[in-house]
């Protein structure tokens, strides 16, 4: 079973601060997805990265896929309370969605 | 938002009773999935379906069965519920089965087995 380690597990910051969360594995992934989950709801896809070294931006969120496609990071600039949630990464190694491996998530709290 | 409805949203049941959770989609997507989410474990795949009457096991399928008689409905059954099956269950759909196709999740069913 391939593992995705997410760090930190918990993060509590003040509004306006910057932060980075990490998703690491010893396995190579063909693609990696980031989801955000709010309390009482299902995860919602933020981005899919495919190419090693790829950087994608979604407003204040910047996603990077490692050159070796074994790790990824999510950087949030000037965090807002609306960014609060559980951030999940999911790696795909076999080309099929039923082979998605989810990390345990980073629970982010942004305090006003 | 993708049209995915899970029912019930909450359920409390006793050990040994059968339980069926329903997932209904209005997107006509071919692929459907059942996950469970537990603290310390993240999301784990129970079963998935790649078409009507086509299903297969996921990572944690023991104690669960599924059925898909129509494109829009995917049922998850716990034949004899145990306390270890207390969890939040999520249904997801995707248009294709590739790793590049996003999963769209329902809002979950919180199941408590006493």
């Amino acid at each position: 079973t391939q593992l995705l380690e997410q760090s930190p597990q918990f993060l509590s910051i003040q509004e306006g601060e910057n932060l980075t969360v990490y998703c690491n594995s010893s396995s190579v992934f063909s693609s990696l997805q980031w989801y955000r989950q709010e309390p009482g709801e299902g995860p919602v896809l933020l981005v899919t990265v495919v190419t090693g070294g790829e950087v994608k931006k979604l407003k204040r969120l910047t996603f990077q896929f490692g050159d070796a496609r074994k790790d990824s990071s999510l950087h949030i600039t000037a965090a807002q309370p609306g960014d609060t949630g559980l951030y999940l990464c999911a790696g795909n190694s076999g080309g099929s969605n039923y082979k998605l491996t989810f990390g345990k998530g980073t629970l982010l709290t942004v305090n006003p | 938002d993708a049209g995915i409805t899970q029912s019930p949203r909450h359920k409390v049941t006793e050990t040994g009773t059968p339980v069926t959770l329903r997932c209904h989609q209005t997107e006509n997507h071919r692929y459907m999935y059942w996950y469970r989410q537990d603290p310390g474990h993240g999301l784990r795949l129970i079963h998935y379906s790649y078409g009507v009457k086509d299903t297969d096991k996921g990572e944690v399928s023991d104690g669960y069965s599924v059925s898909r008689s129509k494109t829009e409905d995917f049922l998850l059954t716990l034949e004899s519920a145990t306390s270890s099956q207390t969890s939040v269950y999520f249904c997801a759909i995707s248009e294709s089965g590739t790793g590049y196709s996003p999963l769209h999740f329902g809002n979950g069913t919180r199941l408590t087995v006493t």
Side-chain angles (χ1 to χ4, degrees):
Chain A
T1 302
Q2 295 169 316
L3 295 175
L4 271 172
E5 299 289 339
Q6 288 192 243
S7 61
Q9 188 176 358
F10 301 96
L11 186 56
S12 180
I13 62 171
Q14 294 301 120
E15 182 176 1
E17 293 182 3
N18 301 332
L19 67 114
T20 302
V21 299
Y22 300 92
C23 176
N24 295 300
S25 176
S26 58
S27 303
V28 175
F29 293 104
S30 57
S31 63
L32 194 136
Q33 300 173 346
W34 284 92
Y35 292 81
R36 179 170 67 207
Q37 183 178 18
E38 299 186 18
E41 299 183 5
V44 176
L45 181 74
L46 296 173
V47 77
T48 301
V49 286
V50 176
T51 305
E54 182 177 6
V55 176
K56 281 193 173 180
K57 292 190 176 183
L58 184 66
K59 297 183 180 178
R60 293 175 295 98
L61 279 60
T62 301
F63 303 85
Q64 185 163 8
F65 200 14
D67 290 341
R69 291 184 287 127
K70 294 183 179 181
D71 55 84
S72 181
S73 63
L74 159 59
H75 182 79
I76 301 179
T77 303
Q80 300 177 0
D83 295 326
T84 293
L86 179 67
Y87 289 81
L88 298 162
C89 63
N92 188 289
S93 60
S96 301
N97 261 346
Y98 55 83
K99 293 187 184 292
L100 268 181
T101 299
F102 280 85
K104 296 177 183 178
T106 292
L107 184 60
L108 171 66
T109 303
V110 182
N111 302 296
Chain B
D1 291 343
I4 308 167
T5 304
Q6 291 187 233
S7 58
R9 290 295 314 275
H10 301 271
K11 185 170 183 66
V12 180
T13 191
E14 293 183 350
T15 299
T17 60
V19 177
T20 295
L21 308 182
R22 181 179 183 241
C23 178
H24 178 79
Q25 61 143 328
T26 58
E27 305 298 319
N28 201 37
H29 283 355
R30 178 180 172 186
Y31 295 84
M32 299 185 76
Y33 313 81
W34 276 108
Y35 285 88
R36 60 179 290 175
Q37 187 174 37
D38 305 286
H41 289 280
L43 280 161
R44 293 180 291 174
L45 182 65
I46 305 171
H47 281 280
Y48 64 96
S49 170
Y50 47 96
V52 174
K53 298 186 179 179
D54 291 323
T55 65
D56 207 344
K57 296 178 180 180
E59 178 188 357
V60 290
S61 60
D62 287 349
Y64 302 95
S65 63
V66 290
S67 66
R68 191 169 178 199
S69 59
K70 300 185 290 185
T71 298
E72 58 266 36
D73 289 326
F74 193 30
L75 304 180
L76 176 71
T77 298
L78 291 67
E79 300 291 346
S80 178
T82 67
S83 57
S84 65
Q85 293 176 311
T86 292
S87 185
V88 181
Y89 291 86
F90 286 98
C91 172
I93 65 174
S94 67
E95 190 166 9
S96 82
T98 73
Y100 314 106
S101 178
L103 294 180
H104 302 281
F105 287 85
N107 284 331
T109 294
R110 182 174 295 276
L111 176 67
T112 303
V113 183
T114 61

